[in-house]
Amino acid sequence: MTLRLGLLALACAGLAACGGSAGVRTGGGSQAFGLGEDGYAEATPLSVRSNDVLMRAIGLVGTPYRYGGNSPEGGFDCSGLVGFVFRDAAGLSLPRSTRELIDIQAPTIARDALMPGDLVYFNPTGGRVSHIGIYVGEGRFVHAPSRGGTVRLDALGSEYWSRHFVSAKRVLQ
């Protein structure tokens, strides 16, 4: 009984501490702690679309790879994944093949200037370009890498992907 009362008192003390005003300014309004003078930034149409693309792409991690695949139910190959995500999350219709995707009219982006939603191109099998993924931030991208695998997140800075990186383009404007 004493242990129960002690735990109850501890829980009540913890909840009471949550009700304090630390991190909130008083007098004329309040501001969330740690956000600086401007508070929350307004979402822009571009930031909303970029976020929709990255969330949709990350949500497909684990979907089986299938050559020629372009749906969550049937699986994805790399360009099928890109086409599905941009169509579903941003309403953009992109070319179907990686070879066509490298030729789209979109700004080329330096690797150190990537933003979520940018397309990243690779040539692991040689030639001009043979693989594509979607950059999701924090140095990572989502892609459908190979037969027998699944859609996954990989680090752009890994030795393998760094060696085969070709280019990046920004299709969201």
Side-chain angles (χ1 to χ4, degrees):
M1 183 72 165
T2 308
L3 179 61
R4 267 192 197 163
L5 288 175
L7 289 174
L8 181 60
L10 184 61
C12 287
L15 289 173
C18 291
S21 62
V24 177
R25 291 184 192 162
T26 58
S30 64
Q31 180 177 351
F33 181 76
L35 292 177
E37 296 290 321
D38 297 332
Y40 289 102
E42 282 288 320
T44 65
L46 176 60
S47 68
V48 170
R49 285 177 38 163
S50 294
N51 191 58
D52 289 348
V53 165
L54 80 92
M55 294 304 290
R56 187 63 174 131
I58 291 170
L60 294 167
V61 168
T63 304
Y65 177 92
R66 183 174 67 87
Y67 181 78
N70 61 1
S71 72
E73 300 79 23
F76 293 105
D77 65 10
C78 64
S79 58
L81 172 68
V82 167
F84 176 83
V85 167
F86 278 85
R87 186 174 49 257
D88 190 59
L92 288 178
S93 181
L94 297 176
R96 176 60 178 94
S97 76
T98 302
R99 287 183 188 96
E100 292 171 310
L101 284 161
I102 191 72
D103 291 327
I104 61 174
Q105 296 299 309
T108 299
I109 303 299
R111 192 168 165 174
D112 62 353
L114 288 169
M115 292 177 46
D118 288 345
L119 299 179
V120 287
Y121 300 89
F122 305 91
N123 66 349
T125 61
R128 187 167 162 223
V129 64
S130 58
H131 190 64
I132 189 169
I134 302 168
Y135 185 75
V136 295
E138 304 285 322
R140 303 189 77 170
F141 68 104
V142 172
H143 64 127
S146 63
R147 287 183 173 84
T150 62
V151 173
R152 70 180 192 218
L153 274 166
D154 271 324
L156 193 57
S158 74
E159 182 183 338
Y160 181 84
W161 293 112
S162 287
R163 187 172 62 241
H164 296 293
F165 179 82
V166 173
S167 181
K169 289 194 174 186
R170 182 160 299 148
V171 296
L172 295 175
Q173 300 295 317

